Amino acid sequence: MTEHPFGYIIGDKIYLKGFLGQEDRVIGEVKEDEASTFRYFEGRFDTVKQKVEKLKSDIQENQNKGSFLMKLIHLKSSLMSYDGLGDFPELIKELEEQEAYLEEIIQSNRQKNLEIKNELIQEAETYKDSTDWKETSEVFKELKLKWLKTGPVEKELEEEINKKFQDILDVFYGNRKNYFDGLALQAEQNIKVYENLLERAREAYNLADVKTAFEISKRIQKEWKTSGRVPASKRQPIWDEFSKINNRIFSKYKRMSQSMPTISPGLMIKKIDRWAEEMRLLSKGEVNESKLNQAKKLQGEWKKLPPKKPRNAQQSIGSFVFFSEIIFEKSFLDKLCHSKYEGFAEMPETEQNSLKINLLKDLIARDQRELVTVRENAENFRSQEGEFDHIMRKKIAAHKRKVDVKNSILKELTNN
């Protein structure tokens, strides 16, 4: 056996003496001679010793010293099984001193990190309930970046402190989401407001009273300006049609104003009373082509009157409209019977009346169902806006008048 301060050779095997509780172990074989074998394994020790020195130097020169801890631990662990001849306990001692040094630094850094993260939590807490979404989102973006750049804290505190910070973020971002979800919902509701304004514009355009249509048009245009925000892509198509209809209403009103002759209220009342009486007389009995043409001529004269009519003429106005509709309803009923019943013209008058009565009853039942539907819709879509209710009342009145007109004709036919 040939001795070495840290090992020995027996036969063709070279041994490292045990240290730190380890037994002696074979680290290689004698290749040429014992002296060169000792030198080779001493050289291997020198190599690992240089690694230790290099690591110690790196630790001293670098600012982020804690990052070397795992490398140091791995190197220390590898020395326990490293094949070389030298003072391994001394190297391990040096590494353990460095390890203690790093752990002290890491402990100090983790304490600083805890202080920094607590400060970030306090700052985040002050912005948690902010509703300045854009500016506060930027603040939280910076806070999250600082949080990520700050190193870890003690493991037993890591989960708790991360949860505190995340809970604050969740409150703000949850509030922000709810706000923008609310905006999206409000936008959908606002779209319905714009669609309602468009529908009211259509209703106004179809009114016979141009002056009333013009007044409604002015009011709903003001409402448009004060209605809520919606995405332009959704609002624009509605606006295009809305503005086009209102322009047409204005054009109709302008043309009417320019062409409207002046007439005194007294003279207008006399004309309305006379025309209402003429229309009443025309509505009696059968309606032939001559009566129909006279009724159309009276309607033509009626349209020349100014839109605003005296209050004292309201009864005659109602009569004129009612008897006009009787005339045109009778004409329609007669044509319907001629087309529906073969040989209707050659039938006795009593048989013709009987067929008309049966047909009228069916038409009245249909009109009454429509009237119920219109009334239900008016209740379901009741609005705070007066002109909308005005339009709905006119629609209900028109449907009711259709029923009344048919009932009047039915009564006349039944009494014949």
Side-chain angles (χ1 to χ4, degrees):
M1 181 176 72
T2 305
E3 289 283 346
H4 184 279
F6 302 103
Y8 53 87
I9 292 175
I10 298 178
D12 62 348
K13 304 291 185 184
I14 181 169
Y15 290 81
L16 174 67
K17 292 178 181 180
F19 61 89
L20 301 178
Q22 291 194 122
E23 295 181 355
D24 297 359
R25 63 181 177 84
V26 175
I27 60 173
E29 297 179 352
V30 177
K31 298 295 185 182
E32 297 177 359
D33 55 56
E34 293 181 346
S36 63
T37 300
F38 281 138
R39 284 197 302 273
Y40 172 75
F41 284 99
E42 288 169 350
R44 282 183 57 79
F45 179 81
D46 288 340
T47 299
V48 77
K49 185 177 181 180
Q50 289 173 13
K51 286 185 179 180
V52 171
E53 292 299 323
K54 176 69 166 57
L55 180 57
K56 288 165 62 178
S57 175
D58 288 342
I59 290 171
Q60 293 303 316
E61 292 174 1
N62 281 274
Q63 187 174 359
N64 188 11
K65 301 182 188 303
S67 63
F68 291 98
L69 179 61
M70 292 310 298
K71 185 176 182 180
L72 185 148
I73 291 172
H74 290 148
L75 180 56
K76 185 180 75 169
S77 176
S78 71
L79 293 181
M80 302 298 289
S81 58
Y82 189 80
D83 295 338
L85 287 175
D87 191 352
F88 282 100
E90 181 60 28
L91 280 187
I92 290 171
K93 181 183 176 182
E94 291 179 18
L95 289 176
E96 286 177 341
E97 289 173 354
Q98 289 294 311
E99 185 177 358
Y101 170 64
L102 291 181
E103 285 180 344
E104 184 180 346
I105 291 173
I106 289 170
Q107 181 63 33
S108 175
N109 286 342
R110 285 180 176 173
Q111 184 58 39
K112 289 179 181 176
N113 293 341
L114 180 62
E115 292 172 4
I116 292 171
K117 288 190 172 182
N118 278 327
E119 289 174 1
L120 291 174
I121 287 172
Q122 289 175 8
E123 186 175 356
E125 186 72 35
T126 63
Y127 289 97
K128 180 177 67 175
D129 298 315
S130 171
T131 56
D132 188 346
W133 309 115
K134 185 176 180 181
E135 183 176 331
T136 308
S137 293
E138 290 300 317
V139 170
F140 273 104
K141 190 184 294 184
E142 291 180 12
L143 289 177
K144 285 195 290 184
L145 188 59
K146 289 178 182 178
W147 186 276
L148 292 173
K149 286 182 176 180
T150 303
V153 300
E154 292 294 339
K155 288 185 178 179
E156 59 268 23
L157 298 175
E158 191 76 35
E159 184 177 350
E160 179 186 351
I161 198 165
N162 283 341
K163 186 177 184 304
K164 278 185 181 179
F165 187 67
Q166 189 60 48
D167 285 348
I168 294 172
L169 296 182
D170 289 345
V171 169
F172 171 73
Y173 287 113
N175 289 342
R176 189 182 69 169
K177 182 180 183 300
N178 291 338
Y179 173 77
F180 284 106
D181 285 350
L183 280 187
L185 180 61
Q186 185 62 51
E188 289 301 317
Q189 294 172 344
N190 290 343
I191 280 289
K192 292 179 182 178
V193 172
Y194 286 114
E195 289 172 345
N196 176 261
L197 290 171
L198 175 58
E199 182 59 29
R200 285 157 63 187
R202 290 174 182 146
E203 295 279 0
Y205 179 74
N206 291 324
L207 289 176
D209 190 335
V210 179
K211 173 70 173 175
T212 300
F214 178 66
E215 293 299 327
I216 292 173
S217 173
K218 288 195 296 183
R219 284 195 291 272
I220 60 178
Q221 287 184 75
K222 287 181 181 179
E223 286 181 50
W224 181 284
K225 293 177 182 178
T226 59
S227 296
R229 296 175 60 184
V230 297
S233 59
K234 291 186 176 181
R235 187 184 68 244
Q236 192 61 43
I238 303 174
W239 165 252
D240 290 343
E241 186 178 354
F242 181 77
S243 59
K244 188 181 295 183
I245 291 173
N246 283 294
N247 287 339
R248 288 173 179 172
I249 292 172
F250 176 74
S251 297
K252 284 171 68 175
Y253 177 74
K254 187 177 180 181
R255 288 196 302 271
M256 180 203 72
S257 300
Q258 290 173 346
S259 61
M260 189 63 65
T262 57
I263 183 171
S264 69
L267 181 58
M268 193 186 307
I269 290 173
K270 287 181 180 180
K271 283 189 174 185
I272 291 172
D273 289 344
R274 184 176 74 252
W275 291 341
E277 179 61 19
E278 288 180 23
M279 197 67 82
R280 185 186 70 80
L281 294 174
L282 288 172
S283 71
K284 299 300 179 184
E286 288 190 22
V287 173
N288 53 29
E289 196 67 26
S290 175
K291 282 187 175 183
L292 194 62
N293 289 333
Q294 290 180 62
K296 289 179 181 179
K297 185 177 179 182
L298 283 174
Q299 283 190 329
E301 293 296 323
W302 183 274
K303 288 179 181 178
K304 295 177 184 179
L305 292 175
K308 190 172 182 179
K309 298 174 177 63
R311 287 183 178 275
N312 295 343
Q314 292 305 308
Q315 185 174 351
S316 293
I317 291 171
S319 296
F320 181 88
V321 173
F322 183 77
F323 292 123
S324 297
E325 292 189 5
I326 284 183
I327 292 168
F328 289 101
E329 187 65 37
K330 280 185 174 182
S331 175
F332 167 76
L333 182 63
D334 191 60
K335 288 177 182 177
L336 185 61
C337 286
H338 277 83
S339 64
K340 188 176 179 66
Y341 305 112
E342 188 175 352
F344 180 81
E346 287 75 33
M347 293 179 184
E349 184 178 350
T350 55
E351 189 175 350
Q352 287 182 351
N353 284 350
S354 178
L355 290 174
K356 286 181 179 181
I357 287 170
N358 292 333
L359 191 55
L360 262 176
K361 287 179 179 179
D362 291 338
L363 294 174
I364 289 169
R366 182 201 64 188
D367 287 349
Q368 285 176 331
R369 288 194 297 271
E370 288 182 2
L371 178 58
V372 170
T373 301
V374 171
R375 281 175 170 160
E376 288 176 350
N377 289 341
E379 287 298 318
N380 293 336
F381 298 101
R382 185 173 294 278
S383 170
Q384 298 295 325
E385 302 302 328
E387 59 270 17
F388 180 76
D389 286 343
H390 172 74
I391 291 171
M392 294 306 298
R393 284 196 299 272
K394 291 198 74 168
K395 287 185 76 169
I396 291 171
H399 277 77
K400 186 176 182 302
R401 192 167 59 249
K402 285 172 66 175
V403 174
D404 292 341
V405 164
K406 288 181 177 66
N407 276 322
S408 178
I409 298 172
L410 179 63
K411 183 178 180 182
E412 183 180 336
L413 289 172
T414 304
N415 292 334
N416 283 347

